[in-house]
Amino acid sequence: MGASTVALTCYAVLAADLIAEFEVDRWQIGALVTAMSLGGAVISPRVGVIADAMGAKRATTTTIALATSGLTGLAVAPRYWMIVAAALVGGVAQAMANPATNKLIALHIEPGRRGVITGIKQSGVTAASALGGLVLPPVAVFAGWRWAVALFALLAVGAGALSLLVPADPASIASTTQTTRAPLDPYIFRLALYGFILGGAGTAIFTFLPLYAVEELGYGPTAAGLAVAVTGVAGVVGRITWGRFAEVRFGTWRSLEYIAVLAAAAAAVLVLAASLPWLVWVAAVLTGFSASAWNAVGMLAVIQTAAPAQAGRASGVVLFGFLGGLGLGAPAFGYSIDRLGSYGPSFTVVGVAFLLGLLVMRVGAALKPSAPRPTR
């Protein structure tokens, strides 16, 4: 999971280097997120079906190979458009990662342990973010940003070797045409809408938090990268914690409501940080524990709701919404900063968007969908 998304951390932490190297604007840094995320969103439903057909192990190794290719392309690209192309390759890896790993959990982990395992699995994304925030800035200063990216491509190769240890799908659980083509539970589509909102608003914070810290709050590049690392560490804790709570205490529905509220609070704290710069650390923790952690609950909901033979397809539908939000949120936020010259109004809109995510779940509660309701 971390290998499939670490390129997004590279775009955020190395944004100043990329702007200087390729003489691009802020919105073009956001466009890299768009290329990776929207590219992945467009193909996510189809990739989910492919993952069901390939089996979890083959889909996992394919994910690692694609992620390595995308990182390598970023490290060696001499032109901006080539970085965009590498981002598109990374988008395929990002689209494949959740269907593959969700299917692994559905096939090999019994209910009662899936919440924690899903949280650990999803925390690979935030662990990679934390590692990137800590390692990328000093390596970029010492050896250049390209070598910093190349280091993470090498780490992805190591992850590929580990993926060979993934067990094969049980022979007794085979996907059938009848099962894989059966209608998906309506809860899956509500998760896709929620993911679109949380993805769009969350990526605005994640992508531009380092630049905000440097341009508005007066922090240096290393401290700005550390803010991303703090978000990543909080995300690791958040994903594991929410995964457990969602399975044994609150249920996925109620957990997603709480996450949306905490994410809105993070956006409000970022607005206040313009006057009290130390609040950026509070916002980093809140963002990691909320907006960055929703994926663990969302993917657990997919595993609980969809049949094992549908796990890839259901994951692809939810990712279509989530990655679509990721792709649109970053460039829209960057464009607003370029136009307004201030981060405050944009962070306010982000906070409102998170509350809209809460509304999506509250309206769903009133409509009594067929998805399992949380226990109290």
Side-chain angles (χ1 to χ4, degrees):
M1 290 299 300
S4 71
T5 59
V6 72
L8 297 174
T9 304
C10 294
Y11 305 149
V13 174
L14 301 175
D17 295 285
L18 296 176
I19 290 172
E21 175 85 13
F22 298 102
E23 299 180 351
V24 295
D25 295 323
R26 293 180 188 85
W27 73 265
Q28 289 171 286
I29 299 301
L32 294 174
V33 179
T34 299
M36 184 168 175
S37 300
L38 277 188
V42 169
I43 65 171
S44 280
R46 182 59 186 166
V47 165
V49 175
I50 292 172
D52 283 330
M54 292 176 67
K57 179 171 184 175
R58 288 180 59 198
T60 300
T61 54
T62 300
T63 296
I64 299 293
L66 289 168
T68 303
S69 298
L71 288 169
T72 302
L74 171 61
V76 303
R79 299 286 186 272
Y80 173 78
W81 70 265
M82 294 182 182
I83 292 181
V84 175
L88 290 172
V89 175
V92 181
Q94 190 177 21
M96 180 74 78
N98 270 302
T101 52
N102 286 347
K103 195 171 182 69
L104 277 175
I105 292 174
L107 294 177
H108 298 286
I109 305 298
E110 67 274 10
R113 297 181 57 222
R114 290 176 176 175
V116 171
I117 297 298
T118 302
I120 293 172
K121 185 260 290 190
Q122 294 298 135
S123 71
V125 174
T126 46
S129 298
L131 185 63
L134 289 171
V135 174
L136 285 168
V139 175
V141 170
F142 178 75
W145 69 267
R146 293 183 185 276
W147 284 107
V149 176
L151 173 62
F152 278 81
L154 184 62
L155 292 176
V157 172
L162 290 176
S163 71
L164 297 176
L165 302 177
V166 171
D169 294 2
S172 60
I173 304 178
S175 298
T176 66
T177 300
Q178 182 180 1
T179 303
T180 55
R181 292 184 180 178
L184 295 173
D185 190 291
Y187 190 26
I188 298 298
F189 299 99
R190 189 169 300 278
L191 288 170
L193 177 58
Y194 181 92
F196 176 82
I197 295 169
L198 268 287
T203 194
I205 294 179
F206 177 80
T207 303
F208 289 95
L209 180 62
L211 276 179
Y212 178 57
V214 171
E215 295 181 339
E216 291 285 328
L217 307 184
Y219 288 98
T222 300
L226 183 60
V228 175
V230 169
T231 301
V233 171
V236 170
V237 176
R239 291 182 182 213
I240 297 173
T241 302
W242 281 114
R244 179 62 175 169
F245 281 179
E247 185 170 34
V248 304
R249 186 171 181 182
F250 300 130
T252 58
W253 198 278
R254 187 68 66 190
S255 295
L256 291 173
E257 292 179 346
Y258 293 156
I259 285 171
V261 172
L262 288 174
V269 171
L270 281 172
V271 174
L272 296 175
S275 300
L276 299 170
W278 62 269
L279 285 176
V280 72
W281 305 106
V282 178
V285 172
L286 282 174
T287 299
F289 198 76
S290 58
S292 181
W294 91 268
N295 232 328
V297 180
M299 293 302 106
L300 175 63
V302 170
I303 294 167
Q304 289 178 336
T305 305
Q310 289 183 313
R313 181 160 68 101
S315 301
V317 170
V318 175
L319 286 172
F320 176 77
F322 176 54
L323 296 180
L326 286 184
L328 294 175
F333 190 90
Y335 179 78
S336 71
I337 302 306
D338 288 334
R339 296 284 294 178
L340 298 176
S342 174
Y343 285 82
S346 300
F347 280 134
T348 300
V349 172
V350 165
V352 172
F354 285 132
L355 293 178
L356 181 60
L358 170 65
L359 181 62
V360 166
M361 302 310 293
R362 295 303 298 165
V363 170
L367 294 177
K368 297 182 180 180
S370 59
R373 297 310 308 275
T375 56
R376 293 179 180 273

